[in-house]
Amino acid sequence: MRRSCYCGELRTEDVGREVILMGWVQSLRDHGGVIFVDLRDREGVVQVVFNPEISEEAHRLAEELGDEYVIAVRGRVQRRPPGTENPRIPTGQVEVLATELKVLNRSRPPVFPIEDRLEVSELVRLRYRYLDLRRPSMFRNMRMRHEAAQIIRRYLSSLGFLEVETPFLTKSTPEGARDFLVPSRLSPGTFYALPQSPQLFKQILMVAGIDRYFQIVKCFRDEDLRADRQPEFTQVDLEMSFVTEEDVQEVIEGLMVELFEELLGKTPHTPFPRIPYQEALERFGTDKPDLRFGMELKDLGDLVRESSFEVFLKELEGGGVVKGLVVEGGAGFSRKELDELVREAMELGAKGLAWVRITQDGWQGPPSKYFPEGLKERIMERTGARTGDLLLFVADRKQKACEILGELRLKLGRRLGLIPEGGYQFAWIVDFPLLEFDETEGRYVAIHHPFTSPKEEDVERLEEDPLSVRARAYDIILNGHEIGGGSIRNHRPELQKRIFRLIGFSEREAHERFGFLLEALQYGAPPHGGIALGFDRLMMILCGSDTIREVIPFPKTQKGTCPLTGAPSEVEPRQLKELHLKLGL
Ligand code: AMO
Ligand code: AMP
């Protein structure tokens, strides 16, 4: 028997056709002698009818079937009798009357039912990922991912990008995480690092004259995992020669239009808004704001200075800020809900959260009495707050106050259902600082990565006022996720060396770690820049999933383990010996 079509493809046009189907037994019902099997393959489910009057042999074999048995069925497509159609599935108007059945394999009872509504822990799903991936929603995610990869390849190829592979066994490429190391057997005591990104190789490809490079590529970062982070993940990585920020951004905007049109039938509005980093922080309290709803933070320092509320005055005196947030209709929050909100703010590191309910009878809440009437009105004007709303204030150092209120904005936005389903809001975050001061390391570190170019007009301040230097870097954000980041690079070796020096690498260290790059830059490196998209994060949003694990076929758990294979696992003493390794501290 040779398969003629997929189960899920059959429609009324196929009535009368003889088909051979192969798939898994989704369910089994014995209706007084006639057996109904829902047969499933990746394209869907179709009902197969085993009637002893049509084939005694097939019916007898069908009696022995169990869930998830793998079978082949020959039969004729027929219209379902009136009243028995199932409008909930695409094949619901037809059924297949079986004339022959072959059991290709049996199955143990599945650990969980193969259906989208599933109440089973993720650990179990990952342990039996082959069963989990049989579920329609998971197959849909895998197919979407495949389609997206095809669209990306087609689009970038049409713009002259070449897909070039770069090594996995390589030297450390710093992107701010720890490296995964691979011991070398042939050079005892030395290690390869798995790349945190292909950053250095793609720059070298520009020196090599490739001009436009891309790769859909695995990256490896040994960092703590979150819903949108995995130790190995996939980037859509690209690099271009002789370009500015706008050229890179235009390519990516075009790619997003292509992806969203083809996969979701939606056309994002281009160009995407450009929001300077500082502005994003001030308005949304984060450099990856969810722009699908408003509820912007407002700076109230100059106004609350006129109040007599000590908590705020003290913070302002110490150089801090007071930021406010309006929760529309929030005056109705119960005392319990407000206490909970204060607790959440404190958990985020706030020293406190001042709240005011704006009611018919005026302001109600701890700081109200310290605010004269006229001032209340000006605060309401500035924030747009009206009767019935709730006003929240956080006083702290600027960065902290913004971040705390930004988190509260997001929590409240979700809780109050302010975030529209199916909306997509892109933006570019630009004008990042080049460096930040890392307190624990006691030195400057690159915010993007050390190969990012400073803005031309800021270069002269590099040494005297490093924190004021802005980077030629850009992040692309979508619905509150950073889905990509890139920059224009340092193509002149002198500037690159200055930056290495600034971030605390001695000449020798810079040479040891990145000598090959510095050398390559000396052989006619063209101006260049690029970007990498987090492919998993992008797919998570396109598929409407909550975590990237839903769009990765075999993801790791939060602890970095693979429940299916049991990785990571111990190795034979012999292997360690070959690698010249000894365990134990
Ligand atoms: P960056 O480090 O910003 O830039 O990474 C680019 C994008 O990759 C995604 N990403 C991740 N996704 C899942 N799990 C992770 N652990 C993870 N880490 C990052 C994010 C991020 O925006 N070489 C530069 C790019 C460049 O400058 O061209 C780089 O890797 O969506
Ligand atoms: P306290 O004087 O500490 O009892 O605080 C009075 C009110 O101000 C309480 O509602 C606190 O939650 C709030 N509060 C205290 N510190 C801050 C702060 N840094 N920012 C905002 N509100 C605060």
Side-chain angles (χ1 to χ4, degrees), residues 33-37 48-52 58-59 62 65 71 73 98 100-101:
V34 179
I35 295 174
F36 295 88
V37 167
V48 181
V49 184
F50 294 92
N51 187 332
H59 180 267
L65 293 177
I71 61 174
V73 173
E100 192 181 344
L101 167 63

Side-chain angles (χ1 to χ4, degrees), residues 446-465:
I447 286 192
H448 187 49
H449 52 54
F451 316 104
T452 295
S453 170
K455 291 212 188 227
E456 197 92 43
E457 62 268 32
D458 294 358
V459 169
E460 57 185 29
R461 291 199 308 276
L462 259 178
E463 279 80 14
E464 70 212 48
D465 189 7

Side-chain angles (χ1 to χ4, degrees), residues 116-379:
D116 280 342
R117 301 163 263 109
L118 191 61
E119 282 171 36
V120 61
S121 78
E122 193 179 13
L123 200 65
V124 174
R125 288 177 54 203
L126 293 181
R127 164 94 165 73
Y128 299 94
R129 191 60 156 180
Y130 40 86
L131 296 180
D132 193 39
L133 289 171
R134 281 184 200 166
R135 299 188 304 125
S137 60
M138 291 306 284
F139 179 72
R140 184 195 67 121
N141 289 359
M142 295 305 118
R143 170 142 55 195
M144 281 258 269
R145 191 174 170 120
H146 160 78
E147 282 168 359
Q150 299 302 306
I151 294 166
I152 291 165
R153 290 206 161 88
R154 201 178 61 226
Y155 171 81
L156 291 175
S157 305
S158 79
L159 294 182
F161 284 81
L162 245 58
E163 188 166 9
V164 182
E165 288 168 272
T166 52
F168 282 174
L169 293 177
T170 180
K171 222 173 139 110
S172 176
T173 304
E175 295 278 2
R178 270 186 216 93
D179 287 324
F180 282 103
L181 297 176
V182 181
S184 160
R185 178 177 58 85
L186 296 176
S187 308
T190 65
F191 295 81
Y192 303 98
L194 300 180
Q196 293 185 33
S197 82
Q199 183 62 34
L200 298 179
F201 284 104
K202 69 173 173 172
Q203 291 192 231
I204 286 170
L205 287 172
M206 294 304 103
V207 183
I210 295 286
D211 194 76
R212 290 183 162 210
Y213 141 95
F214 86 100
Q215 190 177 189
I216 300 180
V217 62
K218 273 290 174 75
C219 300
F220 305 87
R221 298 183 186 183
D222 189 0
E223 54 192 352
D224 293 328
L225 305 191
R226 301 199 205 121
D228 62 358
R229 266 195 195 166
Q230 280 275 306
E232 57 176 302
F233 64 98
T234 304
Q235 287 187 346
V236 178
D237 188 43
L238 59 90
E239 194 76 6
M240 308 164 73
S241 290
F242 307 107
V243 291
T244 62
E245 292 85 328
E246 288 71 34
D247 297 307
V248 178
Q249 289 162 353
E250 211 173 276
V251 166
I252 295 298
E253 288 176 354
L255 177 57
M256 291 302 149
V257 168
E258 204 74 5
L259 281 169
F260 276 72
E261 278 184 348
E262 291 207 28
L263 295 175
L264 300 182
K266 297 195 170 169
T267 307
H269 195 75
T270 56
F272 303 155
R274 267 71 169 166
I275 307 179
Y277 167 79
Q278 274 303 336
E279 183 185 325
L281 190 66
E282 299 248 354
R283 289 171 57 197
F284 305 101
T286 167
D287 59 1
K288 42 178 196 293
D290 192 329
L291 301 173
R292 288 174 297 174
F293 69 111
M295 219 180 171
E296 296 191 15
L297 321 187
K298 292 285 186 305
D299 193 65
L300 302 176
D302 56 326
L303 294 179
V304 304
R305 184 163 280 137
E306 297 173 32
S307 76
S308 53
F309 191 40
E310 272 305 316
V311 175
F312 289 175
L313 297 177
K314 239 178 42 217
E315 202 57 52
L316 289 172
E317 250 162 58
V321 302
V322 178
K323 301 281 290 191
L325 185 71
V326 176
V327 184
E328 247 176 78
F333 275 34
S334 68
R335 188 58 203 242
K336 201 165 140 237
E337 285 170 311
L338 288 168
D339 287 346
E340 173 64 15
L341 218 54
V342 173
R343 201 186 53 73
E344 282 175 299
M346 310 279 272
E347 257 176 21
L348 294 167
K351 296 179 205 159
L353 177 73
W355 51 264
V356 170
R357 293 183 179 122
I358 305 176
T359 71
Q360 301 284 6
D361 308 324
W363 283 29
Q364 292 178 357
S368 307
K369 60 172 181 272
Y370 304 102
F371 287 77
E373 281 314 315
L375 184 58
K376 289 180 185 168
E377 262 134 45
R378 280 154 66 210
I379 289 177

